[in-house]
Coordinates of all heavy atoms in Angstrom, one line a residue:
G849 N -29.1 -22.8 -9.6 CA -28.2 -23.9 -9.1 C -27.1 -23.3 -8.3 O -26.7 -22.1 -8.5
I850 N -26.4 -24.2 -7.5 CA -25.3 -23.8 -6.6 C -24.4 -25.0 -6.4 O -24.9 -26.1 -6.2 CB -25.8 -23.2 -5.3 CG1 -24.7 -22.8 -4.4 CG2 -26.8 -24.1 -4.6 CD1 -25.1 -22.1 -3.1
Q851 N -23.1 -24.7 -6.5 CA -22.2 -25.8 -6.2 C -20.9 -25.2 -5.6 O -20.4 -24.1 -6.0 CB -21.9 -26.6 -7.6 CG -21.0 -27.8 -7.3 CD -21.1 -28.7 -8.5 OE1 -22.1 -29.0 -9.1 NE2 -19.9 -29.3 -8.9
D852 N -20.3 -26.1 -4.8 CA -19.0 -25.7 -4.2 C -17.9 -25.8 -5.3 O -17.9 -26.7 -6.1 CB -18.7 -26.8 -3.1 CG -17.3 -26.8 -2.6 OD1 -16.7 -25.7 -2.5 OD2 -16.7 -27.9 -2.4
M853 N -16.9 -24.9 -5.2 CA -15.7 -25.1 -6.0 C -14.7 -25.9 -5.2 O -13.9 -25.3 -4.4 CB -15.1 -23.7 -6.3 CG -15.8 -22.9 -7.4 SD -14.8 -21.5 -7.9 CE -16.1 -20.2 -7.9
G854 N -14.8 -27.2 -5.3 CA -14.0 -28.1 -4.5 C -12.8 -28.6 -5.4 O -12.0 -27.8 -5.9
A855 N -12.7 -29.9 -5.5 CA -11.6 -30.5 -6.3 C -11.7 -30.0 -7.7 O -12.7 -29.9 -8.3 CB -11.7 -32.0 -6.2
A856 N -10.6 -29.6 -8.3 CA -10.4 -29.0 -9.6 C -11.0 -27.7 -9.7 O -11.2 -27.2 -10.9 CB -11.0 -30.0 -10.7
G857 N -11.4 -27.1 -8.6 CA -11.8 -25.7 -8.6 C -12.9 -25.2 -9.5 O -13.9 -25.8 -9.6
L858 N -12.6 -24.1 -10.2 CA -13.6 -23.5 -11.1 C -14.0 -24.4 -12.2 O -15.2 -24.4 -12.6 CB -13.0 -22.1 -11.6 CG -13.9 -21.3 -12.5 CD1 -15.3 -21.0 -11.8 CD2 -13.3 -20.0 -12.8
V859 N -13.1 -25.2 -12.8 CA -13.5 -26.0 -13.9 C -14.5 -27.0 -13.6 O -15.4 -27.3 -14.3 CB -12.2 -26.6 -14.7 CG1 -11.4 -27.5 -13.7 CG2 -12.7 -27.4 -15.8
S860 N -14.3 -27.7 -12.4 CA -15.2 -28.8 -12.1 C -16.5 -28.3 -11.8 O -17.6 -28.8 -12.2 CB -14.6 -29.6 -10.9 OG -14.6 -28.9 -9.7
S861 N -16.6 -27.2 -11.0 CA -18.0 -26.7 -10.6 C -18.7 -26.2 -11.8 O -19.9 -26.5 -12.0 CB -17.8 -25.6 -9.5 OG -16.9 -24.6 -10.0
S862 N -18.0 -25.4 -12.6 CA -18.8 -24.8 -13.8 C -19.1 -25.9 -14.8 O -20.3 -26.0 -15.3 CB -17.9 -23.7 -14.4 OG -16.6 -24.2 -14.8
A863 N -18.2 -26.7 -15.2 CA -18.5 -27.7 -16.2 C -19.5 -28.8 -15.7 O -20.4 -29.1 -16.5 CB -17.1 -28.5 -16.6
E864 N -19.4 -29.2 -14.5 CA -20.4 -30.1 -14.0 C -21.8 -29.5 -13.9 O -22.8 -30.2 -14.2 CB -19.9 -30.6 -12.6 CG -18.8 -31.6 -12.6 CD -18.2 -31.9 -11.2 OE1 -18.8 -31.4 -10.2 OE2 -17.2 -32.6 -11.1
M865 N -21.9 -28.3 -13.5 CA -23.2 -27.6 -13.4 C -23.8 -27.5 -14.8 O -25.0 -27.7 -15.0 CB -23.1 -26.2 -12.8 CG -22.8 -26.3 -11.3 SD -22.6 -24.6 -10.6 CE -24.3 -24.1 -10.5
G866 N -23.0 -27.1 -15.9 CA -23.6 -27.0 -17.2 C -24.0 -28.3 -17.8 O -25.0 -28.6 -18.4
A867 N -23.1 -29.3 -17.7 CA -23.3 -30.6 -18.3 C -24.5 -31.3 -17.6 O -25.3 -32.0 -18.3 CB -22.1 -31.5 -18.1
K868 N -24.6 -31.2 -16.3 CA -25.7 -31.8 -15.6 C -27.1 -31.3 -16.1 O -28.1 -32.1 -16.2 CB -25.6 -31.5 -14.1 CG -26.5 -32.4 -13.2 CD -26.3 -32.0 -11.7 CE -24.9 -32.2 -11.3 NZ -24.7 -31.8 -9.9
A869 N -27.2 -30.1 -16.5 CA -28.4 -29.5 -17.0 C -28.6 -29.6 -18.5 O -29.6 -29.2 -19.1 CB -28.5 -28.0 -16.6

Side-chain angles (χ1 to χ4, degrees):
I850 176 171
Q851 186 162 319
D852 165 40
M853 284 192 225
L858 181 53
V859 60
S860 66
S861 54
S862 56
E864 287 172 2
M865 289 178 74
K868 193 181 298 180

